[in-house]
Amino acid sequence: MGGPGSGNFRRRRAYVEECIAIRMPELRRLGLIQADHIRSRHIALAHPSGGSIPAWVQVDANLEGASWLVGRLHQAGEASEYRARLEAVPQPLGGHRWFALCPLTGRRCLTLFLRPGGSHLGSRAALDLTYLVHSLDAYDRAHKRASKAEAALRGLSRFARRPTRERLWSVIWQRDEMLDDLIERLHEALISPKKLRAAQLNRHPTAS
């Protein structure tokens, strides 16, 4: 029997946004995934803190044999090496789509994650990751969407189409409307039940 504190009691799931991610589409865009070629280069991976970390990535994309992804990441002055198998899936219109095989489950995935302080790459499911947005309430989600819309508006070209601007502004207005409603509910909650009842009667007087 385990003692106090053993097991997964109250273990908090890590968020995708907290992890370092190696994405297959991004490696392909960078020219690292090319059928029957070995490609390697130094790249910068996004760090959860908002910065980036240097990494060296090599991809052996072999259509006839085993294909491998090898990555060396540098964190806190130390280098760590990670490996994962790759698999090419033929597409109906020709060509191949490349997947990583999760080192923990062997299942195909398009993104490999490294948890904070973790020592193994894995898929989102294998590492039991969740998205930060799933832990937010309705207002927090609206605020997160509005913040992205505000950033998009600041980066828009002056030639951007009007529907694009209206769509972004509608997201911001939705957040503001929710905030106004929240403030109104808070004010109503601070009114005593008697005053609240009187205010409701004044707002909806009974017909004489």
Side-chain angles (χ1 to χ4, degrees), residues 25-97:
E26 180 68 10
L27 296 184
R28 185 164 188 172
R29 185 185 68 80
L30 293 172
L32 281 166
I33 300 181
Q34 294 187 25
D36 293 326
H37 287 80
I38 299 177
R39 293 283 187 270
S40 63
R41 63 179 291 182
H42 291 276
I43 63 174
L45 295 175
H47 194 273
S49 65
S52 61
I53 61 170
W56 176 83
V57 176
Q58 177 178 287
V59 177
D60 181 2
N62 190 348
L63 291 176
E64 301 298 330
S67 299
W68 287 92
L69 163 69
V70 180
R72 296 195 188 103
L73 310 183
H74 297 265
Q75 300 185 77
E78 296 185 0
S80 302
E81 183 171 300
Y82 305 90
R83 299 172 64 90
R85 288 281 303 272
L86 300 180
E87 183 175 309
V89 177
Q91 298 299 289
L93 299 179
H96 295 79
R97 188 179 190 189

Side-chain angles (χ1 to χ4, degrees), residues 2-208:
S6 64
N8 292 328
F9 181 69
R10 291 184 178 177
R11 179 178 63 86
R12 184 183 71 81
R13 296 176 68 185
Y15 297 123
V16 166
E17 293 82 359
E18 294 176 332
C19 301
I20 296 170
I22 302 177
R23 308 179 191 279
M24 298 303 106
E26 180 68 10
L27 296 184
R28 185 164 188 172
R29 185 185 68 80
L30 293 172
L32 281 166
I33 300 181
Q34 294 187 25
D36 293 326
H37 287 80
I38 299 177
R39 293 283 187 270
S40 63
R41 63 179 291 182
H42 291 276
I43 63 174
L45 295 175
H47 194 273
S49 65
S52 61
I53 61 170
W56 176 83
V57 176
Q58 177 178 287
V59 177
D60 181 2
N62 190 348
L63 291 176
E64 301 298 330
S67 299
W68 287 92
L69 163 69
V70 180
R72 296 195 188 103
L73 310 183
H74 297 265
Q75 300 185 77
E78 296 185 0
S80 302
E81 183 171 300
Y82 305 90
R83 299 172 64 90
R85 288 281 303 272
L86 300 180
E87 183 175 309
V89 177
Q91 298 299 289
L93 299 179
H96 295 79
R97 188 179 190 189
W98 289 87
F99 292 87
L101 299 182
C102 173
L104 301 178
T105 65
R107 294 186 176 181
R108 295 173 183 166
C109 60
L110 288 174
T111 304
L112 291 170
F113 296 96
L114 180 65
R115 290 181 59 145
S119 57
H120 299 285
L121 291 175
S123 65
R124 184 175 66 86
L127 296 179
D128 193 27
L129 303 177
T130 186
Y131 289 99
L132 178 61
V133 68
H134 292 166
S135 67
L136 304 177
D137 58 26
Y139 174 72
D140 287 333
R141 290 194 294 271
H143 181 69
K144 189 177 180 68
R145 289 193 298 268
S147 297
K148 289 184 177 180
E150 288 170 342
L153 279 170
R154 288 193 295 269
L156 276 183
S157 165
R158 63 190 182 93
F159 300 108
R161 299 179 61 187
R162 181 175 177 180
T164 301
R165 295 182 182 275
E166 290 179 346
R167 175 177 56 81
L168 294 173
W169 273 112
S170 68
V171 174
I172 298 172
W173 291 332
Q174 181 183 19
R175 186 271 311 271
D176 293 345
E177 289 175 356
M178 291 185 66
L179 179 58
D180 291 342
D181 182 66
L182 184 64
I183 293 174
E184 184 177 349
R185 289 174 182 271
L186 179 61
H187 286 170
E188 289 181 352
L190 294 176
I191 300 175
S192 65
K194 183 180 295 186
K195 290 182 178 179
L196 178 59
R197 178 59 180 167
Q200 290 174 338
L201 291 175
N202 291 334
R203 187 180 303 176
H204 304 289
T206 55
S208 56

